[in-house]
Amino acid sequence: GIIFVLDSTRPNMAECADLLYDVLLQIQRTRPASVRTKASFRVLICCNKSDMKLAKNEKRIQLQLKTELNRLRGTRGAIESTDNGVSASRSADSNNASVLGKPGVPLDW
């Protein structure tokens, strides 16, 4: 598993989601499809400085991070499927999958 730490007083969700997306996509690409289940890999997201006055709460960070990750899935998937003439119907089980998670299914935790 991995531990992903972000600053809850000034989280840049776009930047955090971009980094987390890259990490999770790399894990997805290197793990065989047969072992890719929801519980097969654990991710702990820690909100540093959550006791500070201006910190965003856990629910807000969770919602914003999930929204950004799903937005990235749409934009990156569309960009990578049109690059170099690659077909948008590329197999989801391919080791070179460019979309995090299952195509057409929103990310959730």
Side-chain angles (χ1 to χ4, degrees):
I2 63 168
I3 299 173
F4 189 81
V5 182
L6 58 89
D7 183 346
S8 61
T9 59
R10 297 183 304 168
N12 180 342
M13 284 304 150
E15 187 177 323
C16 290
D18 193 46
L19 179 59
L20 185 58
Y21 187 98
D22 288 339
V23 169
L24 295 175
L25 186 60
Q26 186 60 34
I27 292 166
Q28 176 179 298
R29 286 178 174 165
T30 58
R31 294 173 67 83
S34 60
V35 296
R36 284 188 219 149
T37 63
K38 199 169 190 175
S40 70
F41 194 83
R42 304 279 183 189
V43 177
L44 176 64
I45 299 175
C46 297
C47 301
N48 192 26
K49 302 180 186 176
S50 60
D51 58 333
M52 303 292 283
K53 201 178 233 185
L54 297 175
K56 291 185 177 182
N57 68 33
E58 172 190 340
K59 298 286 185 197
R60 170 166 266 193
I61 290 174
Q62 182 180 10
L63 177 64
Q64 288 179 332
L65 195 54
K66 189 187 312 184
T67 301
E68 283 295 320
L69 284 170
N70 279 309
R71 183 189 60 76
L72 279 171
R73 286 182 72 219
T75 56
R76 284 197 186 180
I79 290 169
E80 292 187 26
S81 68
T82 58
D83 282 351
N84 300 321
V86 174
S87 171
S89 62
R90 182 177 9 188
S91 170
D93 289 333
S94 168
N95 282 340
N96 295 321
S98 61
V99 177
L100 183 61
K102 295 179 183 177
V105 179
L107 292 177
D108 199 10
W109 32 65

